[in-house]
Amino acid sequence: MLKKEIVENMKHIVDNCMGDSKSACTTACPMNTDAKKYIALMGDNRGEEAIKVIREELFIPRILGRVCAHPCESACRRGEEDEAISIAGLKRYIADNYDNPDMWDLSKKDSTGKKVAIIGFGPAGAQGAITLLKEGHEVTIFEKNSFSGGMLRYGIPEYRLPRDIIESEFSLINRLGGKVKFNIEVGKDICFETLEKEYDAVLVSIGKQIGRKDRTLDNHDAKGILTAVEFLKEVSLTRESKEAKGNILTVGGGDVAMDCARSALRLKNSKNSYVLFLEKNLESLTASKHEVESAMAEGVKFIPSFGIKEILINEEGRVNEIIIKKCESLFNENGEFSPKFNEEEIEKIDIDTLIFAIGQGVDLTINSGERFQFNKESLQNEKNPKIFYAGDCASSNIVVQAMAEGRRAAKSIIRFLNNEDVWMGRDITLEGGKSETKLYLPTEYLPESWNLDSKIKRRKGEELDPKERIKTFLEVEKTFTHKIALEEASRCLQCECKLCMKECMMMPEYTSCPKELFKEYLEKGYENMDMNIAYSCNECKQCTIKCPNSFEIRENFMEMRKEYVKANGDISPLDGHTGLDDGQELECSKKYSVTIPGKKQTKYVLIPGCTVPASFPELVEETYEHMKKTLGEDNVGIILQCCAKPTEIIGETKLFEERYSRVQKEIDEIEADVIVTLCPSCYLTYEKYSGRKVISYWDLMKEEIGIPKDKKDIGKDSDVIFNIHDSCPTRYVTSHHDSIRWVLSQLGYKVEEMANIRENTRCCGVGGMLGCINADLYKRIVDRRVSDATQDHIISYCGSCRGSMELGGLDSLHILQLIHGSCYYKKDAKKRSDNYGLHNRLEAKRRVSK
Ligand code: SF4
Ligand code: SF4
Ligand code: SF4
């Protein structure tokens, strides 16, 4: 059984890994539209596929591309480093160019015979209708106006949203078989109770069609005073206003105020258009920056920090002047909206029309003027289960949110009509409810592939000339060109984490991300998983280094190896390890080992490990001599024996303990104070188990004995520039990295640093004893590491790493070759791996025993 901590670690990864997390743009969209995917397709010039992705969630992409408040853009990760992607602009381009009504999905289930009435033909009602129609229910929509679109049509000016687009996109409801009864106002032309009786369910989706005025002011109902709702509706239908003329002043600081002010400019009888607002400056307005800028460009004049004190009227009863008062603060000490005015600081403005754009509400006539009471999640009426709500009359305040509510309410209705619980077991995030993503890469983890070059600016669609455009209601902003769409799509970072997967070469062979992998382990049990997964990890820990959460992944695999071994009679279950085991037995045997204590005491004992003696017996001797010369012959001993690390790595704990105990016995017997190592794995093993001070030969040279005297600057005339490969087991032992570089500088050799060094180094392929069981993966890891090199010559300080770098085609040297050799030139490059073998261990034994 796996240890509790390991199971907890796996759960921790499953709960927190960001590998499958959606991008922020998608989760911020109330309809969960996969912006990342359609942007990628567009960037790939695959607009026909991109529109399919959009239409999976949105039936009005051309409308939303123009008027959506785009919460996706506010959440866009690029926006934190640079400017957000113009997601709406791209959606608009894709929809304008690739949406084909002939290709719309008109499929639906067989008729259920159930009938649903929907009140209001805006985005919430229309989306609800689509969801219900597709489920096979009959839908009848009651719309009090003569056209589709609800507040989209009556609240958004034509210069932002051409009417033919509304007509075209809303036609889907008819094409799916939905019936629409225009010019029928529920509560006036037909009783709400009649709908309740005649239909199996009713969805109320009425918009905020009642404008507000400041009724505390005298003369608020005078001629020439309008609400934004009535003004915009009239302009929407006629492109004119009977009431509005001359100097038109709009009160308010939101997008609706901008719509009024810009529409006012376009009227035949208007002179000037003003916007009066309480906020200190334009930056503090709730209106979108783009709308404010457009209004300014068109000539709207802004009056900040003022509110209305008095409305004055002429003898005809029409507004002709207002007195405004200075707003000194907007919020009280509790942060609540509570404007304070200076009644003394006043100004007069001559106006002919006053438009209040200070909010709007829902007509509650059908509920006898009472607020609707419903469950906020299921959107079902709390008293009458047949009635549901969506859109402005529920809680949404932007179009796409209204659509999401329409869909959610429709799903509740579907359950209700099936006699199911309307909410149990539902996950709002899967239904397109707004959710937070776990995906967040801190700036320091942003991959290089994320092209954040600030020169690649966010693209805008071209706009009509402000002077010309205010003469008409023609659409102001143009759709991107193909070139601009491609450029803008290329700015998308295609946000995802998987930083570990991009680095690790083994996990991608088995999984899409650690979350998925460890979920499978937890569900199936490690004993039912392919053992090759755990044994293919080369224990490099590079996943942990790359992971923003620093998840410990290697540890899980290591523990699994131990359990696989335990279940197999304390021996590795994989055939590939048989040879390794046999070799380890020999390497730890007396035949290949020798212990020589210091002449008087063993203050220092050199333990050179296996691979260095097996390749360079003469260098072991030289190192031993160097230590004796500098530390005193009486104080220095040597133990030629294996630490058995490879046995431990393959999970054979019992065998390791037994093999390691042999070398520990030698250490204890000669009472060595300090162990000096030549191998990173030996260093870590003795650090962990020996109970002695352990130091690498490189640190010993830097800190105590220096390089051999006659070697100072020996390489200064060399024509070679070396890269340095740091070993991954000692990635956190920074003193080794420093000392190796110090040694090379003392020797006088030139060094050029390659990619992925020191703590961030990559495995040479040997880690985890991978080569024994997966030679192909081992070779690919070798090649990947070699591809980091910038020179043909590379220095390692591990015998195995040196071998791998040579296998990868580099002129690969162990640092001992430079420390104890003569000046190294390019002409000296040669292959050395054929010199590896146990016979060299015997030779090393012979040399040190002389
Ligand atoms: S950069 Fe692209 S994928 Fe990332 S949040 Fe922005 S639009 Fe979405
Ligand atoms: S330790 Fe290395 S090989 Fe193992 S999972 Fe992590 S990156 Fe992959
Ligand atoms: S780096 Fe890998 S393990 Fe870490 S959060 Fe990302 S996907 Fe998950």
Side-chain angles (χ1 to χ4, degrees):
M1 240 180 52
L2 286 175
K3 281 196 226 159
K4 197 166 156 248
E5 314 82 274
I6 294 297
V7 175
E8 289 304 317
N9 186 34
M10 290 203 274
K11 283 187 186 156
H12 176 59
I13 295 172
V14 171
D15 289 345
N16 298 292
C17 170
M18 305 182 275
D20 71 344
S21 299
K22 289 180 180 164
S23 51
C25 51
T26 295
T27 54
C29 171
M31 291 293 282
N32 269 6
T33 319
D34 195 342
K36 175 179 151 188
K37 191 168 173 187
Y38 69 71
I39 294 172
L41 288 166
M42 187 58 237
D44 224 9
N45 218 350
R46 289 153 68 190
E48 286 85 2
E49 289 164 74
I51 188 63
K52 282 189 197 149
V53 173
I54 296 173
R55 285 204 78 89
E56 277 170 22
E57 309 295 344
L58 307 176
F59 80 101
I60 49 171
R62 296 185 66 198
I63 295 174
L64 289 172
R66 289 165 165 81
V67 304
C68 186
H70 42 65
C72 53
E73 292 189 17
S74 311
C76 171
R77 182 66 183 87
R78 183 162 188 134
E80 287 182 38
E81 311 291 326
D82 175 32
E83 285 183 286
I85 306 300
S86 179
I87 303 174
L90 282 167
K91 188 195 299 124
R92 171 174 168 172
Y93 172 79
I94 295 164
D96 279 1
N97 288 281
Y98 299 99
D99 194 20
N100 177 356
D102 294 340
M103 303 294 285
W104 288 354
D105 176 16
L106 301 180
S107 63
K108 54 182 190 175
K109 291 187 185 165
D110 292 342
S111 171
T112 61
K114 300 266 170 64
K115 300 190 302 178
V116 182
I118 295 180
I119 307 173
F121 198 18
Q127 180 62 60
I130 292 167
T131 309
L132 290 162
L133 288 163
K134 288 200 148 274
E135 198 64 19
H137 299 309
E138 259 181 44
V139 169
T140 306
I141 299 173
F142 296 87
E143 168 55 51
K144 73 173 184 179
N145 294 303
S146 328
F147 300 101
S148 58
M151 292 308 284
L152 278 174
R153 178 185 296 268
Y154 300 113
I156 297 177
E158 203 179 338
Y159 60 80
R160 289 214 283 139
L161 178 57
R163 298 328 190 205
D164 59 324
I165 295 178
I166 305 178
E167 224 49 67
S168 161
E169 296 203 311
F170 272 69
S171 71
L172 174 65
I173 289 83
N174 293 90
R175 294 180 65 195
L176 279 169
K179 289 179 215 137
V180 189
K181 298 193 174 184
F182 288 110
N183 302 312
I184 295 194
E185 187 171 349
V186 178
K188 198 166 144 200
D189 304 313
I190 184 169
C191 297
F192 185 73
E193 291 71 24
T194 309
L195 295 188
E196 253 188 281
K197 264 192 221 129
E198 291 182 0
Y199 291 85
D200 298 295
V202 181
L203 172 59
V204 181
S205 58
I206 49 185
K208 286 184 177 154
Q209 302 200 3
I210 301 197
R212 290 205 184 107
K213 288 179 180 175
D214 183 348
R215 298 190 176 276
T216 62
L217 294 167
D218 288 344
N219 301 326
H220 62 262
D221 274 334
K223 280 187 201 159
I225 301 184
L226 302 163
T227 65
V229 172
E230 56 192 339
F231 172 70
L232 289 173
K233 184 172 178 184
E234 189 188 6
V235 174
S236 167
L237 291 168
T238 65
R239 295 184 185 166
E240 267 309 328
S241 166
K242 287 188 195 123
E243 266 314 303
K245 62 178 183 183
N247 289 328
I248 301 173
L249 182 137
T250 304
V251 191
D255 279 336
V256 175
M258 302 306 131
D259 287 342
C260 292
R262 293 178 67 192
S263 296
L265 281 176
R266 287 162 167 79
L267 301 179
K268 241 189 344 240
N269 294 327
S270 68
K271 267 199 228 149
N272 292 300
S273 177
Y274 301 96
V275 175
L276 177 84
F277 56 92
L278 300 175
E279 289 82 355
K280 272 205 174 88
N281 47 40
L282 293 175
E283 289 70 42
S284 324
L285 291 182
T286 50
S288 69
K289 193 173 165 235
H290 178 69
E291 284 305 306
V292 174
E293 284 171 0
S294 299
M296 277 177 75
E298 289 176 1
V300 171
K301 299 177 178 77
F302 291 93
I303 308 168
S305 293
F306 276 91
I308 301 180
K309 185 175 165 70
E310 265 178 77
I311 300 171
L312 305 177
I313 55 173
N314 60 18
E315 56 285 358
E316 289 160 19
R318 184 178 179 97
V319 60
N320 67 349
E321 197 174 57
I322 53 168
I323 299 176
I324 58 173
K325 55 186 175 182
K326 181 83 176 169
C327 176
E328 297 199 318
S329 67
L330 275 178
F331 300 97
N332 64 19
E333 56 281 7
N334 300 325
E336 293 151 351
F337 182 70
S338 172
K340 273 208 182 104
F341 295 96
N342 180 347
E343 303 287 340
E344 307 305 314
E345 194 174 339
I346 56 171
E347 279 177 39
K348 282 185 182 178
I349 309 175
D350 289 341
I351 59 167
D352 303 292
T353 309
L354 174 61
I355 301 172
F356 280 103
I358 55 170
Q360 50 207 69
V362 172
D363 182 352
L364 298 168
T365 312
I366 58 165
N367 205 35
S368 315
E370 298 291 313
R371 294 182 74 166
F372 302 127
Q373 301 291 333
F374 55 90
N375 180 294
K376 295 281 176 291
E377 287 174 332
S378 65
L379 304 169
Q380 187 181 35
N381 186 300
E382 284 175 346
K383 293 201 182 112
N384 186 342
K386 277 181 93 169
I387 304 172
F388 298 80
Y389 302 90
D392 284 356
C393 69
S395 61
S396 57
N397 51 20
I398 61 172
V399 178
V400 67
Q401 206 176 356
M403 289 165 65
E405 275 188 1
R407 183 161 74 181
R408 181 146 51 99
K411 291 198 173 184
S412 293
I413 293 172
I414 291 165
R415 284 179 166 230
F416 169 73
L417 296 178
N418 288 339
N419 292 321
E420 292 167 13
D421 186 286
V422 292
W423 195 250
M424 198 186 292
R426 279 169 72 181
D427 179 352
I428 189 171
T429 59
L430 300 177
E431 287 185 15
K434 183 178 170 190
S435 60
E436 293 281 316
T437 180
K438 270 199 204 118
L439 179 60
Y440 185 80
L441 298 190
T443 306
E444 64 274 24
Y445 283 92
L446 300 185
E448 277 167 28
S449 59
W450 281 25
N451 183 357
L452 283 166
D453 184 347
S454 57
K455 280 179 262 159
I456 312 176
K457 291 275 180 238
R458 177 181 156 108
R459 300 298 196 272
K460 284 187 188 156
E462 273 182 45
E463 292 194 344
L464 300 181
D465 176 2
K467 282 197 199 100
E468 292 304 312
R469 72 195 190 205
I470 57 169
K471 295 176 190 162
T472 73
F473 278 87
L474 286 177
E475 188 172 23
V476 166
E477 196 172 326
K478 295 186 189 163
T479 304
F480 288 164
T481 61
H482 188 67
K483 182 171 171 284
I484 287 182
L486 290 179
E487 284 169 0
E488 186 58 17
S490 78
R491 294 179 67 242
C492 174
L493 306 171
Q494 289 295 301
C495 300
E496 65 168 3
C497 184
K498 300 195 182 185
L499 298 173
C500 56
M501 302 295 286
K502 287 176 191 125
E503 179 64 23
C504 178
M505 295 191 70
M506 86 88 174
M507 281 198 286
E509 302 206 345
Y510 298 101
T511 186
S512 62
C513 70
K515 179 184 184 127
E516 287 304 314
L517 183 64
F518 292 116
K519 202 162 146 222
E520 213 182 330
Y521 271 110
L522 290 171
E523 281 166 7
K524 291 189 183 161
Y526 71 95
E527 60 278 31
N528 299 315
M529 296 285 286
D530 179 357
M531 284 188 288
N532 283 300
I533 304 175
Y535 276 110
S536 295
C537 168
N538 54 28
E539 307 278 317
C540 66
K541 264 184 114 56
Q542 193 63 342
C543 47
T544 308
I545 292 273
K546 295 286 177 192
C547 175
N549 292 321
S550 302
F551 288 140
E552 306 221 314
I553 291 173
R554 177 197 82 112
E555 285 68 11
N556 296 344
F557 295 134
M558 193 60 231
E559 281 304 307
M560 285 174 204
R561 292 181 180 199
K562 289 182 191 167
E563 293 304 317
Y564 291 141
V565 165
K566 254 197 237 164
N568 192 51
D570 294 323
I571 196 96
S572 165
L574 298 190
D575 292 344
H577 289 144
T578 312
L580 179 143
D581 251 328
D582 294 345
Q584 279 276 276
E585 198 45 49
L586 285 175
E587 280 156 355
C588 295
S589 70
K590 283 225 161 345
K591 182 176 175 189
Y592 293 97
S593 307
V594 67
T595 300
I596 302 167
K599 285 209 170 129
K600 281 201 184 134
Q601 53 179 343
T602 314
K603 272 194 182 162
Y604 296 88
V605 62
L606 172 67
I607 310 186
C610 306
T611 43
V612 172
S615 301
F616 306 109
E618 71 288 359
L619 296 178
V620 174
E621 184 186 8
E622 299 263 18
T623 304
Y624 185 35
E625 290 306 318
H626 176 214
M627 282 176 61
K628 283 197 287 188
K629 237 182 242 165
T630 48
L631 296 166
E633 204 157 335
D634 292 346
N635 300 322
V636 178
I638 185 165
I639 298 176
L640 204 61
Q641 191 157 340
C642 177
C643 71
K645 184 75 176 172
T647 309
E648 186 183 35
I649 284 177
I650 61 172
E652 293 178 344
T653 311
K654 276 202 175 161
L655 263 176
F656 165 71
E657 283 166 3
E658 190 279 311
R659 284 173 185 160
Y660 177 76
S661 71
R662 299 182 210 174
V663 68
Q664 183 69 37
K665 186 165 162 275
E666 300 296 316
I667 296 167
D668 291 343
E669 271 180 16
I670 62 171
E671 295 177 2
D673 290 334
V674 180
I675 296 171
V676 181
T677 59
L678 298 181
C679 161
S681 290
C682 292
Y683 174 85
L684 296 176
T685 307
Y686 294 121
E687 271 264 288
K688 192 168 170 191
Y689 299 111
S690 73
R692 300 289 197 282
K693 182 179 174 198
V694 186
I695 188 167
S696 69
Y697 179 47
W698 343 116
D699 283 358
L700 182 74
M701 281 188 282
K702 181 161 182 267
E703 288 166 20
E704 292 184 43
I705 63 175
I707 61 165
K709 274 204 180 90
D710 55 335
K711 304 298 178 186
K712 179 88 175 96
D713 288 330
I714 192 155
K716 74 177 186 339
D717 296 329
S718 169
D719 55 356
V720 175
I721 300 173
F722 288 106
N723 283 148
I724 300 171
H725 164 72
D726 293 299
S727 298
C728 66
T730 46
R731 64 167 71 248
Y732 297 116
V733 189
T734 50
S735 67
H736 289 195
H737 316 148
D738 294 341
S739 297
I740 290 294
R741 285 154 180 83
W742 177 84
V743 167
L744 284 164
S745 75
Q746 290 292 299
L747 294 171
Y749 285 106
K750 293 181 259 321
V751 168
E752 182 176 276
E753 296 288 9
M754 61 199 279
N756 301 305
I757 53 168
R758 294 175 177 259
E759 188 169 305
N760 199 28
T761 190
R762 283 175 161 164
C763 181
C764 70
V766 167
M769 299 290 121
L770 171 69
C772 305
I773 59 134
N774 192 339
D776 170 60
L777 179 59
Y778 163 62
K779 181 64 173 60
R780 281 187 283 127
I781 293 174
V782 168
D783 291 343
R784 199 260 310 253
R785 180 52 173 159
V786 164
S787 73
D788 284 337
T790 54
Q791 295 289 331
D792 295 334
H793 311 270
I794 195 159
I795 292 293
S796 305
Y797 42 99
C798 161
S800 301
C801 294
R802 193 212 65 78
S804 291
M805 294 300 93
E806 185 167 277
L807 181 75
L810 295 176
D811 175 36
S812 175
L813 277 80
H814 196 286
I815 190 159
L816 288 173
Q817 293 174 267
L818 297 186
I819 295 170
H820 300 299
S822 49
C823 181
Y824 190 82
Y825 296 99
K826 283 182 183 165
K827 66 175 173 49
D828 299 323
K830 64 172 185 199
K831 218 167 174 252
R832 297 167 187 86
S833 51
D834 37 2
N835 194 32
Y836 182 88
L838 280 172
H839 60 282
N840 282 331
R841 289 281 302 273
L842 289 177
E843 172 61 9
K845 183 173 172 179
R846 188 189 68 73
R847 282 174 177 257
V848 299
S849 308
K850 280 193 296 205

